[in-house]
Amino acid sequence: MTIYCDESGGLNAGAMTFAAVMLTPEAAAQIHARFRAVTGLRGELKGSRISLTERAYLLELFDRAGGRAWVAVAKRARLQPPANGQPTSDLALYAALLDLAIGSWLPETGGVCSDVVIDDGRYDPKILENVREAIQTGLGGWGRASLADSRRSDGVQIADVVANSLYNVEVASPRARRIGIIIEPMLASRAIRVAELAQLP
């Protein structure tokens, strides 16, 4: 299995969500291909760009394929500042959410090797390489952490939609109610699980 990662939002947007989606590469490719064939989508699949109906269809395909996700969330209004009193940075929040999401998966892998693929688009490549190395250290011999261009990764694009869905719910966007209805069965079945970050380390 592979864990595909992407985030949505940020401190200035009121909340950040980080999705760690578990799928085989084959399942991710099949979901993506079917979605594009039916919807006629061109360009990168982004949760912020698709309609509610398209979102529902993509997540239905994800659920049918046995996809699962941990989504780490942090809402600015509920997030406690770091214990050292330093201002909260967007990068520090990103790293903490990534660690929480991946850390939520590791006890469930049963020692089975899991690769972690992280979107490389949010920060400077050198910064993200440090993040990747930290995740690799945490994985140890269980798997390999790598960075990927989301435009070329089926799984990362699916993770983007999952992260964006939870982001909309967290910030109570105009689409939040409908998106909540879409994801409710997956939350109930625990296909999608949420872990809230209460305080930065």
Side-chain angles (χ1 to χ4, degrees), residues 28 47 59 76 119 139 147 156 162 181 188:
L59 292 174
R76 185 173 59 191
D119 176 33
L139 285 172
L147 300 173
V156 169
V162 174
I181 292 170

Side-chain angles (χ1 to χ4, degrees), residues 15-27:
M16 184 185 285
T17 58
F18 191 99
V21 168
M22 185 175 279
L23 284 166
T24 65
E26 295 77 16

Side-chain angles (χ1 to χ4, degrees), residues 7 63 70-71 76 88 91 103 130 141-142 164 177 182:
E7 88 298 322
D63 195 28
W70 270 103
V71 183
R76 185 173 59 191
T88 301
L91 175 60
N130 292 335
W142 284 17
N164 179 263
R177 187 184 69 82
I182 291 168

Side-chain angles (χ1 to χ4, degrees), residues 78-90:
R78 297 195 298 262
L79 185 65
Q80 297 298 312
N84 62 11
Q86 294 297 312
T88 301
S89 72
D90 195 77

